[in-house]
Amino acid sequence: MPELPEVETIRAGLEPHLLGQKITGITVLRPSQLRDISPEELSTQLIGKTINRLSRRGKYLLFYCSSELILVVHLRMTGQLLYYSAGKPAMVHTRLIISLEPPAELHFHDVRALGQITLLNSKQLSNWRPLLLLGPEPLGPDFTLEYFQQSLACRRAPIKNILLGQRIVAGLGNIYTDEALFKAGINPLRPANMLSEAQVQILWTAIRQTLTTAVADGGTTIRDYLNSSGISGSFQRRLQVYGRKGQKCRHCGSELVGCRLAGRSTVYCPHCQPL
DNA sequence: AATTGTACCTGTCAGC
DNA sequence: TGCTGACAGGTACAAT
């Protein structure tokens, strides 16, 4: 479900509620969603700790707690983090509940149960494979045009696959990849190393613009996504291609075409995004 | 080494 | 009214 804009919206929404809060209880309803830690161990380690900082890396949420502990959450396709200022009963798809000092609760809700939660200390975090393999933040200073050009020059896979891969740049998923490629007028099937220098520059700008707008809109709600207060995003009204296969291109009127790339459905305009 | 396919889960919707 | 299959904001791991 959530890509960078959704995860960032959740992070920003939770931050004011969670900073300085003390964890008083952990209820694990679906142990298989814990990675490399048992429910008992998670409870023992976290109870009594304070949440000091909330950050995001790619699509990972990082809860920095006292005693150098970091709770790492990945929402995958349908995960949600919902904050309640009072106790709240678990629902069918509630997978984990974090109880906080005043009677407040953070619920991890996840229909498909693909989301993952783990607990690391700061040393483990700095050696944690999934984070080490992540490319730079697309809206941060390390994602320079020069870096992007060099990274694409030696890749033969379709540009869409590269953008989805998280290794060259972190945080893009199926929605924003298709939208950024449309904005840049680039065909998703085009081999990454076949883009002209001008195209790479346009794509670099398109990625950053698309994500910036989506963050400002609080993300995209298609079916599951809700922010930490249970509110929808609004970027869906700006979608140009995602989910619009067979409909008319808003720019030229051509029929939008679909294909499958990296196992994901892909939509583009054959006229505005020629191969 | 890079790239692709499949598994992990559950729910929804179209078509029969 | 069911049943079946395709598909859904993602990643990890095995097999090319």
Side-chain angles (χ1 to χ4, degrees):
Chain A
M1 136 190 141
E3 305 179 34
L4 184 152
E6 290 75 31
V7 179
E8 179 55 29
T9 301
I10 291 167
R11 189 205 65 75
L14 286 176
E15 190 166 53
H17 290 120
L18 298 186
L19 288 196
Q21 287 282 357
K22 189 164 159 192
I23 296 170
T24 57
I26 301 283
T27 309
V28 179
L29 298 154
R30 182 93 168 206
S32 61
Q33 293 193 250
L34 297 185
R35 180 167 168 168
D36 302 326
I37 191 165
S38 67
E40 297 73 29
E41 182 75 358
L42 186 72
S43 301
T44 309
Q45 299 249 32
L46 275 184
I47 289 175
K49 303 301 188 296
T50 302
I51 302 172
N52 297 323
R53 188 157 70 89
L54 242 179
S55 78
R56 178 191 58 73
R57 180 75 176 91
K59 303 173 196 172
Y60 291 87
L61 267 173
L62 307 172
F63 297 75
Y64 284 82
C65 303
S66 47
S67 302
E68 307 270 290
L69 290 173
I70 301 103
L71 182 72
V72 182
V73 178
H74 197 299
L75 301 169
R76 294 282 183 96
M77 296 288 265
T78 55
Q80 304 173 348
L81 284 171
L82 298 163
Y83 178 83
Y84 300 104
S85 54
K88 169 120 169 82
M91 296 192 289
V92 189
H93 302 296
T94 307
R95 310 305 190 185
L96 183 138
I97 298 173
I98 298 177
S99 305
L100 301 157
E101 178 97 282
E105 289 181 356
L106 182 63
H107 285 218
F108 173 53
H109 185 273
D110 187 6
V111 171
R112 289 178 66 183
L114 296 172
Q116 298 262 281
I117 295 180
T118 192
L119 186 69
L120 303 170
N121 62 39
S122 53
K123 193 178 168 192
Q124 291 170 319
L125 183 76
S126 53
N127 294 311
W128 202 53
R129 282 277 303 229
L131 289 188
L132 289 176
L133 293 176
L134 240 38
E137 285 295 317
L139 301 178
D142 295 339
F143 185 55
T144 62
L145 178 57
E146 296 69 38
Y147 161 83
F148 195 41
Q149 278 165 342
Q150 284 170 21
S151 305
L152 297 185
C154 53
R155 303 301 210 105
R156 266 173 297 191
I159 182 63
K160 161 129 180 185
N161 298 37
I162 299 299
L163 296 180
L164 280 177
Q166 311 299 305
R167 292 217 40 180
I168 303 305
V169 59
L172 289 164
N174 209 27
I175 294 179
Y176 300 112
T177 298
D178 276 11
E179 293 300 313
L181 286 167
F182 175 82
K183 187 182 249 285
I186 293 169
N187 192 292
L189 292 145
R190 175 160 265 255
N193 60 358
M194 298 289 280
L195 295 179
S196 69
E197 204 166 303
Q199 282 181 310
V200 175
Q201 156 120 245
I202 291 167
L203 179 57
W204 181 77
T205 305
I207 288 169
R208 295 158 57 95
Q209 284 180 347
T210 302
L211 293 175
T212 301
T213 304
V215 170
D217 275 356
T220 303
T221 298
I222 303 292
R223 57 179 70 78
D224 295 304
Y225 168 69
L226 297 174
N227 70 16
S228 57
S229 305
I231 308 292
S232 304
S234 65
F235 191 84
Q236 60 275 13
R237 55 191 168 76
R238 297 188 202 269
L239 295 176
Q240 301 296 306
V241 287
Y242 178 84
R244 298 192 66 239
K245 176 182 165 184
Q247 297 180 42
K248 295 222 157 99
C249 173
R250 299 196 208 280
H251 195 250
C252 76
S254 304
E255 185 171 315
L256 298 177
V257 169
C259 67
R260 210 145 180 99
L261 235 28
R264 322 296 308 280
S265 73
T266 300
V267 184
Y268 63 96
C269 172
H271 180 259
C272 298
Q273 300 166 268
L275 190 58

